[in-house]
mmCIF file of all heavy atoms in Angstrom:
data_model
loop_
_atom_site.group_PDB
_atom_site.id
_atom_site.type_symbol
_atom_site.label_atom_id
_atom_site.label_comp_id
_atom_site.label_asym_id
_atom_site.label_seq_id
_atom_site.Cartn_x
_atom_site.Cartn_y
_atom_site.Cartn_z
ATOM 1 N N VAL A 7 4.507 10.664 3.135
ATOM 2 C CA VAL A 7 5.913 10.934 2.830
ATOM 3 C C VAL A 7 6.102 12.398 2.430
ATOM 4 O O VAL A 7 7.029 13.066 2.911
ATOM 5 C CB VAL A 7 6.413 9.958 1.730
ATOM 6 C CG1 VAL A 7 7.805 10.365 1.259
ATOM 7 C CG2 VAL A 7 6.423 8.541 2.275
ATOM 8 N N ALA A 10 5.829 14.567 5.492
ATOM 9 C CA ALA A 10 7.042 14.471 6.327
ATOM 10 C C ALA A 10 8.141 15.368 5.742
ATOM 11 O O ALA A 10 8.836 16.052 6.508
ATOM 12 C CB ALA A 10 7.504 13.017 6.389
ATOM 13 N N LYS A 12 7.745 18.097 3.995
ATOM 14 C CA LYS A 12 7.351 19.502 4.235
ATOM 15 C C LYS A 12 7.539 19.887 5.695
ATOM 16 O O LYS A 12 7.739 21.071 5.999
ATOM 17 C CB LYS A 12 5.909 19.717 3.803
ATOM 18 C CG LYS A 12 5.765 19.674 2.295
ATOM 19 C CD LYS A 12 4.326 19.898 1.824
ATOM 20 C CE LYS A 12 4.293 19.914 0.295
ATOM 21 N NZ LYS A 12 2.950 19.974 -0.235
ATOM 22 N N GLN A 13 7.519 18.900 6.589
ATOM 23 C CA GLN A 13 7.706 19.160 8.020
ATOM 24 C C GLN A 13 9.169 19.094 8.431
ATOM 25 O O GLN A 13 9.493 19.158 9.611
ATOM 26 C CB GLN A 13 6.886 18.163 8.847
ATOM 27 C CG GLN A 13 5.376 18.376 8.731
ATOM 28 C CD GLN A 13 4.571 17.141 9.090
ATOM 29 O OE1 GLN A 13 5.113 16.154 9.572
ATOM 30 N NE2 GLN A 13 3.280 17.188 8.830
ATOM 31 N N GLU A 15 11.302 16.555 7.921
ATOM 32 C CA GLU A 15 11.696 15.197 8.365
ATOM 33 C C GLU A 15 12.538 14.521 7.286
ATOM 34 O O GLU A 15 12.577 14.941 6.148
ATOM 35 C CB GLU A 15 10.458 14.359 8.672
ATOM 36 C CG GLU A 15 9.612 14.895 9.811
ATOM 37 C CD GLU A 15 10.304 14.886 11.158
ATOM 38 O OE1 GLU A 15 11.262 14.085 11.343
ATOM 39 O OE2 GLU A 15 9.913 15.679 12.033
ATOM 40 N N GLY A 26 16.929 5.309 -1.162
ATOM 41 C CA GLY A 26 17.641 6.487 -0.713
ATOM 42 C C GLY A 26 17.014 7.035 0.552
ATOM 43 O O GLY A 26 15.869 6.691 0.873
ATOM 44 N N CYS A 29 15.672 14.475 2.237
ATOM 45 C CA CYS A 29 15.002 15.530 2.979
ATOM 46 C C CYS A 29 14.970 16.785 2.125
ATOM 47 O O CYS A 29 15.481 16.788 1.002
ATOM 48 C CB CYS A 29 15.693 15.783 4.327
ATOM 49 S SG CYS A 29 17.373 16.464 4.157
ATOM 50 N N ASP A 32 16.783 22.607 1.360
ATOM 51 C CA ASP A 32 16.851 23.996 1.809
ATOM 52 C C ASP A 32 16.623 24.138 3.321
ATOM 53 O O ASP A 32 16.613 25.246 3.835
ATOM 54 C CB ASP A 32 15.825 24.838 1.053
ATOM 55 C CG ASP A 32 16.083 24.799 -0.451
ATOM 56 O OD1 ASP A 32 17.260 24.920 -0.852
ATOM 57 O OD2 ASP A 32 15.119 24.621 -1.218
ATOM 58 N N GLN A 34 18.219 23.412 6.707
ATOM 59 C CA GLN A 34 19.481 22.992 7.320
ATOM 60 C C GLN A 34 19.280 21.975 8.448
ATOM 61 O O GLN A 34 20.034 21.027 8.564
ATOM 62 C CB GLN A 34 20.249 24.205 7.848
ATOM 63 C CG GLN A 34 21.612 23.826 8.410
ATOM 64 C CD GLN A 34 22.487 25.030 8.732
ATOM 65 O OE1 GLN A 34 22.124 26.158 8.510
ATOM 66 N NE2 GLN A 34 23.658 24.745 9.268
ATOM 67 N N GLN A 45 25.343 8.964 9.789
ATOM 68 C CA GLN A 45 26.692 9.033 10.340
ATOM 69 C C GLN A 45 27.653 9.443 9.229
ATOM 70 O O GLN A 45 28.736 8.876 9.065
ATOM 71 C CB GLN A 45 27.088 7.713 11.002
ATOM 72 C CG GLN A 45 26.146 7.310 12.126
ATOM 73 C CD GLN A 45 26.325 5.869 12.599
ATOM 74 O OE1 GLN A 45 27.205 5.143 12.161
ATOM 75 N NE2 GLN A 45 25.483 5.457 13.519
ATOM 76 N N GLY A 51 29.416 16.286 1.181
ATOM 77 C CA GLY A 51 28.386 16.842 0.311
ATOM 78 C C GLY A 51 27.294 15.835 0.030
ATOM 79 O O GLY A 51 27.412 14.653 0.418
ATOM 80 N N LEU A 63 17.803 24.219 -11.220
ATOM 81 C CA LEU A 63 18.358 25.523 -11.571
ATOM 82 C C LEU A 63 18.676 26.433 -10.370
ATOM 83 O O LEU A 63 19.639 27.186 -10.414
ATOM 84 C CB LEU A 63 17.461 26.230 -12.584
ATOM 85 C CG LEU A 63 17.460 25.589 -13.969
ATOM 86 C CD1 LEU A 63 16.457 26.285 -14.898
ATOM 87 C CD2 LEU A 63 18.856 25.603 -14.595
ATOM 88 N N GLN A 75 28.953 20.831 -22.842
ATOM 89 C CA GLN A 75 28.924 20.161 -21.557
ATOM 90 C C GLN A 75 27.471 19.945 -21.103
ATOM 91 O O GLN A 75 27.106 18.865 -20.645
ATOM 92 C CB GLN A 75 29.684 20.970 -20.503
ATOM 93 C CG GLN A 75 31.192 20.950 -20.717
ATOM 94 C CD GLN A 75 31.912 22.006 -19.899
ATOM 95 O OE1 GLN A 75 31.374 23.062 -19.582
ATOM 96 N NE2 GLN A 75 33.166 21.716 -19.567
ATOM 97 N N TRP A 83 19.723 12.372 -19.164
ATOM 98 C CA TRP A 83 18.595 12.595 -18.241
ATOM 99 C C TRP A 83 17.263 12.563 -18.982
ATOM 100 O O TRP A 83 17.203 13.010 -20.128
ATOM 101 C CB TRP A 83 18.732 13.940 -17.563
ATOM 102 C CG TRP A 83 19.733 13.971 -16.453
ATOM 103 C CD1 TRP A 83 20.330 12.909 -15.822
ATOM 104 C CD2 TRP A 83 20.249 15.136 -15.815
ATOM 105 N NE1 TRP A 83 21.171 13.357 -14.848
ATOM 106 C CE2 TRP A 83 21.143 14.726 -14.818
ATOM 107 C CE3 TRP A 83 20.032 16.499 -15.985
ATOM 108 C CZ2 TRP A 83 21.808 15.625 -13.984
ATOM 109 C CZ3 TRP A 83 20.689 17.394 -15.181
ATOM 110 C CH2 TRP A 83 21.589 16.955 -14.183
ATOM 111 N N PRO A 98 24.330 26.520 0.168
ATOM 112 C CA PRO A 98 25.018 26.380 1.452
ATOM 113 C C PRO A 98 25.989 25.203 1.522
ATOM 114 O O PRO A 98 25.772 24.176 0.862
ATOM 115 C CB PRO A 98 23.873 26.218 2.447
ATOM 116 C CG PRO A 98 22.728 25.722 1.652
ATOM 117 C CD PRO A 98 22.900 26.259 0.272
ATOM 118 N N LEU A 101 25.094 21.493 1.989
ATOM 119 C CA LEU A 101 24.784 20.657 0.833
ATOM 120 C C LEU A 101 26.015 20.287 0.051
ATOM 121 O O LEU A 101 26.148 19.155 -0.442
ATOM 122 C CB LEU A 101 23.811 21.378 -0.107
ATOM 123 C CG LEU A 101 22.372 21.535 0.353
ATOM 124 C CD1 LEU A 101 21.559 22.282 -0.715
ATOM 125 C CD2 LEU A 101 21.751 20.180 0.632
ATOM 126 N N SER A 113 15.997 12.023 -12.115
ATOM 127 C CA SER A 113 15.708 10.591 -12.062
ATOM 128 C C SER A 113 14.672 10.185 -13.083
ATOM 129 O O SER A 113 13.773 10.944 -13.418
ATOM 130 C CB SER A 113 15.210 10.239 -10.660
ATOM 131 O OG SER A 113 14.880 8.873 -10.585
ATOM 132 N N PRO A 116 9.712 6.566 -11.613
ATOM 133 C CA PRO A 116 8.402 7.231 -11.557
ATOM 134 C C PRO A 116 8.025 7.738 -10.153
ATOM 135 O O PRO A 116 7.440 8.813 -10.014
ATOM 136 C CB PRO A 116 7.414 6.184 -12.054
ATOM 137 C CG PRO A 116 8.184 4.962 -12.353
ATOM 138 C CD PRO A 116 9.641 5.237 -12.174
ATOM 139 N N ARG A 120 7.418 11.667 -9.185
ATOM 140 C CA ARG A 120 6.176 12.097 -8.546
ATOM 141 C C ARG A 120 6.453 12.774 -7.210
ATOM 142 O O ARG A 120 5.838 13.802 -6.883
ATOM 143 C CB ARG A 120 5.262 10.878 -8.363
ATOM 144 C CG ARG A 120 3.909 11.230 -7.820
ATOM 145 C CD ARG A 120 3.000 10.015 -7.823
ATOM 146 N NE ARG A 120 1.905 10.248 -6.876
ATOM 147 C CZ ARG A 120 1.240 9.283 -6.268
ATOM 148 N NH1 ARG A 120 1.544 8.018 -6.499
ATOM 149 N NH2 ARG A 120 0.286 9.580 -5.419
ATOM 150 N N ALA A 134 20.227 4.527 1.486
ATOM 151 C CA ALA A 134 19.549 4.225 2.749
ATOM 152 C C ALA A 134 20.309 3.138 3.503
ATOM 153 O O ALA A 134 20.020 1.956 3.407
ATOM 154 C CB ALA A 134 18.103 3.796 2.505
ATOM 155 N N ASN A 135 21.311 3.605 4.223
ATOM 156 C CA ASN A 135 22.138 2.715 5.027
ATOM 157 C C ASN A 135 22.975 3.545 5.976
ATOM 158 O O ASN A 135 23.150 4.745 5.752
ATOM 159 C CB ASN A 135 23.041 1.857 4.150
ATOM 160 C CG ASN A 135 24.008 2.675 3.358
ATOM 161 O OD1 ASN A 135 23.661 3.662 2.710
ATOM 162 N ND2 ASN A 135 25.281 2.297 3.373
ATOM 163 N N GLN A 139 27.656 0.256 5.708
ATOM 164 C CA GLN A 139 26.736 -0.889 5.621
ATOM 165 C C GLN A 139 26.203 -0.998 4.186
ATOM 166 O O GLN A 139 26.276 -0.073 3.407
ATOM 167 C CB GLN A 139 25.566 -0.712 6.585
ATOM 168 C CG GLN A 139 25.957 -0.545 8.036
ATOM 169 C CD GLN A 139 26.458 -1.848 8.659
ATOM 170 O OE1 GLN A 139 25.870 -2.900 8.450
ATOM 171 N NE2 GLN A 139 27.566 -1.766 9.378
ATOM 172 N N GLN A 146 11.572 -3.039 3.428
ATOM 173 C CA GLN A 146 11.785 -3.835 4.639
ATOM 174 C C GLN A 146 13.231 -3.721 5.135
ATOM 175 O O GLN A 146 13.466 -3.598 6.327
ATOM 176 C CB GLN A 146 11.417 -5.319 4.406
ATOM 177 C CG GLN A 146 9.940 -5.556 4.170
ATOM 178 C CD GLN A 146 9.423 -5.098 2.791
ATOM 179 O OE1 GLN A 146 10.186 -4.955 1.823
ATOM 180 N NE2 GLN A 146 8.135 -4.830 2.704
ATOM 181 N N GLN A 150 14.451 -2.140 8.699
ATOM 182 C CA GLN A 150 15.294 -2.846 9.664
ATOM 183 C C GLN A 150 16.495 -1.997 10.076
ATOM 184 O O GLN A 150 16.855 -1.944 11.252
ATOM 185 C CB GLN A 150 15.771 -4.180 9.094
ATOM 186 C CG GLN A 150 14.686 -5.224 9.025
ATOM 187 C CD GLN A 150 15.096 -6.434 8.200
ATOM 188 O OE1 GLN A 150 16.152 -6.486 7.587
ATOM 189 N NE2 GLN A 150 14.208 -7.445 8.167
ATOM 190 N N ALA A 158 9.163 8.425 7.573
ATOM 191 C CA ALA A 158 8.352 7.608 6.679
ATOM 192 C C ALA A 158 9.237 6.969 5.642
ATOM 193 O O ALA A 158 10.298 7.518 5.312
ATOM 194 C CB ALA A 158 7.272 8.448 6.016
ATOM 195 N N GLY A 179 33.961 15.302 -17.757
ATOM 196 C CA GLY A 179 33.551 13.925 -18.018
ATOM 197 C C GLY A 179 34.168 12.868 -17.145
ATOM 198 O O GLY A 179 33.847 11.691 -17.290
#
Side-chain angles (χ1 to χ4, degrees):
V7 172
K12 290 180 177 174
Q13 291 159 8
E15 297 295 337
C29 66
D32 300 316
Q34 184 171 357
Q45 301 167 5
L63 290 176
Q75 289 166 332
W83 283 347
L101 287 180
S113 178
R120 184 173 160 206
N135 62 312
Q139 302 288 316
Q146 293 73 23
Q150 287 168 355

